[in-house]
Structure formats: C-alpha cells, structure tokens
C-alpha cells in the first residue's frame, strides 16, 4: 500500500519499504563494503582469507561499518557472502585470489541429501553474532540489512562449482530433471528461510534476497525456479515476522518483474540498470537502477543518470541504489559525490 504519511519516527529506509512516499530518498549501495575501499583491502590482507573475514565477528562488524564512517548512507549491509549457505551445509568452499569462489560441485541432485547439515546453525553462529553487535552499534536512524542468495542463484554455484561463466552444469542438471530440480530448490528455500529468520532474530531490520542469475532461467521455468522458491522463503519469514519487509532482487528478470513482484510477497523490488522504472508495478517500493559503470565514471554522466532515475521514481516509494554491486576500481570520491547528488535532489511527493 502506498501512503503519503511522512511523520513517522521510523528509519527512512524502513518508511520507504513500508510503501511511504518520502521527500528524503534513502540510499545504500550493493557491495558498499569491499575492494574499492583501501581500509577493506588492508583488513582483507590481515585476515588472509575472505571466509575468515566472514566468520570473524570483530572483523565483519568493522568492514560492515567502514563505508558508513566515510559516507552518509542510510543502511549497513551485513558483511558476509551468499555462499556461506553451501559452506554451512557442509559443501567445501574456497575463495581463490583473482578467481572468486570455488566449490566441489554436487555431481547429482541426490548429493544434496548426503550433505551433513548437522553443523548448519553452529557454523553460522558468527554471522548472527556479527548482526547482534551491529544492532548495538548502529545509530537508530540507520537500517541493518541481512541477506541471502535466492535458491536458484545459490544452486548455480553448488552445481557448477564456480562463477564466471553461464553455470552450464546447473542449467543442464535442471533441464535433465525439472521436477527433481524444483524439489531441490524448495529444500534450499527452507534452509535459506531458517537462515534469514535467524538473521532477523539477531537484529536485521530487513533482508534482501539476491537472485543474481535469474536471467539464465528459461521463461517457461521462471515460476518454478525463481518465483516459487522465493515465495516460499517470504511466506516462511512472514509466518514468524509479519512486519519485516523483504527486498527481492531478481537481476535482469526483464518481462518477469511484475509477476515476481506480485507473486512472491516481497515489499520492495531491486532493479538492475536495464529495468525501466516507469514500466514497474505501481504498488511496490523500488530500489536501485543506477548503472555501476556510471559510478565508476562519475561526473556529468552520473549526474544526468541520477536526475533521470529520481524523476522517474517521483511520487513512488523509492530507495536509491545501484543496479548491481560497486565495481572495485570505483574511486571512493565518486560515492561521496553520488550521495550528495541524491541528497540535493528535492523530490515531489
Ligand atoms: O575480497 C575479496 O576478494 C572478496 C570479494 C567479495 C566481497 C567483498 C566476495 C566474493 N563477496 C563479497 C561480499 C558480498 N557478497 C556481500 C557483502 C555486503 C555488501 O557490501 O554488499 C554481498 C551482499 C555479496 C553477495 C554475493 N556474493 C552475490 C549476490 C550479489 C551479486 O554480486 O550479484 C554473489 C553472486 C556472490 C558470489 C561471490 N562472492 C564473491 C565473488 C567475487 C562472487 C561472484 C562470483 C562470480 O560469479 O563471478
């Protein structure tokens, strides 16, 4: 429901997520913590491995807060990765310098049932500890975002074993046994829902479901592989926390955005740079859309794009963000410039 009530003392980002059209536009950036910040690179070198950072609450808290020390952002996003789920399920995981994540791929769907999931909650305990500490340390106006990968996107890595390509082993496994694959994704949805519920219990104000590889799913399977598993996660969370808003990000979902928004039960829709704001459903909060390439370039091109996005989003609940993560070569000064552009823009409500 879209309303014009702007008087609440609620955090600005939560107001937008609840459907309020606000004059002030909240802003945060996907991958706002990470390799474009020298202070991240220093801590990363000290830790030696990316996974050590994710599972060390003191370091993970520090990295989560680094971008908020530099910039006037409205939210902190938990520092972790979508691949801690396969890791906590007992699948091996390594982040190899210069190559990204590497997992020993599942050979068949039946291998999923052979994973030793007994240590799941225990392995993820440091992530929950990170959230509890962040909750204590963040100022009240800042929103704390938890997250997980959507089942399809996590399955891509579990079956293909690495990123960087088109995840052929995942798409082939799905094509060979669509029914078995559907069941597999629903099992993954249940684990993901438990994980997100625990994140909320430990302080997350909202959670985002990243479906980075949604565009690899053929149209006829978009419902089974993207919408249904996401809807299952949303309804499991809503059963415990009916008031916690959930952000869905089905990257490059193209003509499926409206069905996704209407059928999953999410409160906000994350938009990639290709998505056309004016063509999006009216009754939902939108987030994102700026091409990360323009943040890298900065200057007038970025300024024009900010105006275009803010104009297109006027009169609707909106959270400013990129359409994908910050590129690692991005100068931090461009982030500061982006935030002041968004702050200066006066929205009509
Ligand atoms: O220091 C390093 O080398 C690690 C780089 C890095 C970072 C900073 C990885 C490896 N993950 C992260 C953090 C991360 N990942 C966050 C933290 C919060 C933030 O500041 O936003 C989040 C939300 C993610 C989510 C994530 N991981 C996604 C979904 C979003 C997206 O980018 O599409 C995906 C697909 C991953 C997998 C992953 N982890 C890391 C890399 C390099 C990748 C992509 C691998 C590939 O397919 O090429």
């Amino acid at each position: 429901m879209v309303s014009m009530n702007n008087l609440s003392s609620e955090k600005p980002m939560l107001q937008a997520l609840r459907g309020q059209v606000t004059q002030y536009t909240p802003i945060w950036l996907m991958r706002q913590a990470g390799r474009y910040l020298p202070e991240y690179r220093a801590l990363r070198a000290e830790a030696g491995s990316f996974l050590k950072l994710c599972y060390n609450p003191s370091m993970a808290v520090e990295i989560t807060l680094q971008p908020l020390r530099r910039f006037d952002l409205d939210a902190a996003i938990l520092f972790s990765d979508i691949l801690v789920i396969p890791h906590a399920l007992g699948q091996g995981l390594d982040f190899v310098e210069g190559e990204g994540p590497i997992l020993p791929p599942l050979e068949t769907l039946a291998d999923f049932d052979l994973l030793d999931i007994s240590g799941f909650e225990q392995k993820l305990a440091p992530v929950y500890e990170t959230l509890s500490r962040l909750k204590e340390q963040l100022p009240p106006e800042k929103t704390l975002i938890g997250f997980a990968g959507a089942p399809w996107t996590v399955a891509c890595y579990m079956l293909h074993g690495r990123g960087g390509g088109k995840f052929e082993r995942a798409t082939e496994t799905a094509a060979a046994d669509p029914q078995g694959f559907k069941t597999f994704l629903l099992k993954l949805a249940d684990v993901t829902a438990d994980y997100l519920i625990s994140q909320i219990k430990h302080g997350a104000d909202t959670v985002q479901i990243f479906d980075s590889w949604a565009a690899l799913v053929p149209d006829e399977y978009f419902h089974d592989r993207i919408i249904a598993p996401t809807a299952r996660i949303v309804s499991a969370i809503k059963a415990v926390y009916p008031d916690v808003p959930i952000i869905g990000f089905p990257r490059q979902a193209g003509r499926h955005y409206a069905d996704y928004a209407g059928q999953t039960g999410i409160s906000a829709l994350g938009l990639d740079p290709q998505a056309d704001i004016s063509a999006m459903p009216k009754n939902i909060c939108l987030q994102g859309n700026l091409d990360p390439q323009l943040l890298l370039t900065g200057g007038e091109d970025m300024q024009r794009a900010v105006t275009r996005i803010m104009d297109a989003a006027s009169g609707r609940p909106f959270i400013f963000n990129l359409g994908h993560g910050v590129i690692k070569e991005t100068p931090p000064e461009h982030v500061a410039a982006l935030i002041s552009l968004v702050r200066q823009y006066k929205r009509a409500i």
Side-chain angles (χ1 to χ4, degrees), residues 276-293:
D276 173 2
I277 290 179
S278 64
M280 292 298 141
K282 288 276 179 271
N283 57 346
I284 193 162
C285 175
L286 300 177
Q287 170 183 282
N289 201 222
L290 181 71
D291 190 336
Q293 200 67 44

Side-chain angles (χ1 to χ4, degrees), residues 165-195:
K166 292 215 172 306
F167 299 96
E168 291 81 0
R169 293 184 60 153
T171 45
E172 284 159 16
T173 308
D177 179 8
Q179 211 48 40
F181 193 73
K182 191 172 159 184
T183 311
F184 166 68
L185 290 183
L186 294 178
K187 286 185 203 164
L188 213 42
D190 289 342
V191 185
T192 307
D194 288 346
Y195 176 50

Side-chain angles (χ1 to χ4, degrees), residues 11-299:
K11 301 167 197 279
M13 178 160 153
L14 287 181
Q15 291 182 30
L17 287 172
R18 299 202 193 289
Q20 291 171 26
V21 184
T22 52
Q23 193 158 44
Y24 173 95
T25 304
I27 175 170
W28 69 280
L29 304 176
M30 290 188 276
R31 290 277 168 104
Q32 63 190 26
R35 285 174 294 182
Y36 76 106
L37 290 179
E39 57 270 37
Y40 169 81
R41 294 196 298 269
L43 209 54
R44 168 84 165 78
E46 196 186 302
S49 101
F50 174 72
L51 270 183
K52 273 197 195 145
L53 282 184
C54 294
Y55 289 129
N56 179 318
S58 312
M59 288 184 169
V61 165
E62 173 56 26
I63 292 176
T64 305
L65 296 176
Q66 280 175 348
L68 281 91
R69 294 208 179 95
R70 276 186 183 250
F71 311 118
D72 182 20
L73 293 154
D74 286 284
I77 178 161
L78 164 72
F79 185 80
S80 180
D81 195 79
I82 62 165
L83 298 176
V84 299
I85 286 212
H87 185 253
L89 288 171
Q91 193 173 5
L93 171 65
D94 204 3
F95 283 86
V96 180
E97 207 56 61
E99 281 200 63
I102 308 276
L103 302 84
L106 300 182
E107 296 288 335
T108 67
L109 293 177
D111 284 359
F112 183 76
D113 299 317
L114 302 177
L115 292 172
D116 175 19
I117 66 163
S118 58
F120 187 73
E121 284 292 321
Q122 192 54 38
K123 277 195 183 147
L124 293 169
V127 176
Y128 305 141
E129 172 66 19
T130 301
L131 283 165
S132 303
R133 293 190 195 181
L134 285 166
K135 186 72 183 171
E136 273 175 29
Q137 294 184 31
L138 274 178
E141 71 279 11
K142 306 288 181 192
T143 296
L144 180 55
I145 308 170
F147 72 93
W152 160 255
T153 288
V154 173
C156 280
Y157 291 95
M158 291 180 85
L159 290 160
H160 194 73
R162 61 198 308 145
K166 292 215 172 306
F167 299 96
E168 291 81 0
R169 293 184 60 153
T171 45
E172 284 159 16
T173 308
D177 179 8
Q179 211 48 40
F181 193 73
K182 191 172 159 184
T183 311
F184 166 68
L185 290 183
L186 294 178
K187 286 185 203 164
L188 213 42
D190 289 342
V191 185
T192 307
D194 288 346
Y195 176 50
L196 290 173
I197 288 166
S198 293
Q199 289 190 27
I200 296 165
K201 190 169 141 203
H202 288 85
D205 298 307
T206 176
V207 290
Q208 175 155 323
I209 302 172
F210 287 88
D211 223 340
S212 303
W213 306 111
L216 296 176
V217 173
D219 284 344
E220 67 265 41
Y221 289 113
F222 198 87
H223 186 271
D224 281 1
R225 293 180 198 164
I226 305 294
I227 293 178
T230 303
R232 188 166 170 113
I233 295 172
V234 173
S235 74
I237 296 174
K238 295 279 176 206
V240 186
Y241 293 107
D243 297 328
V244 171
I246 300 167
I247 307 164
F249 178 48
R251 195 164 71 91
Q252 295 173 341
R255 64 186 188 81
H256 298 288
Y257 271 121
D259 284 346
Y260 179 94
Q263 295 171 28
T264 56
I266 52 151
S267 307
L269 188 56
L271 302 177
D272 60 67
Q274 286 77 39
D276 173 2
I277 290 179
S278 64
M280 292 298 141
K282 288 276 179 271
N283 57 346
I284 193 162
C285 175
L286 300 177
Q287 170 183 282
N289 201 222
L290 181 71
D291 190 336
Q293 200 67 44
L294 289 167
L295 180 61
L296 175 68
T297 320

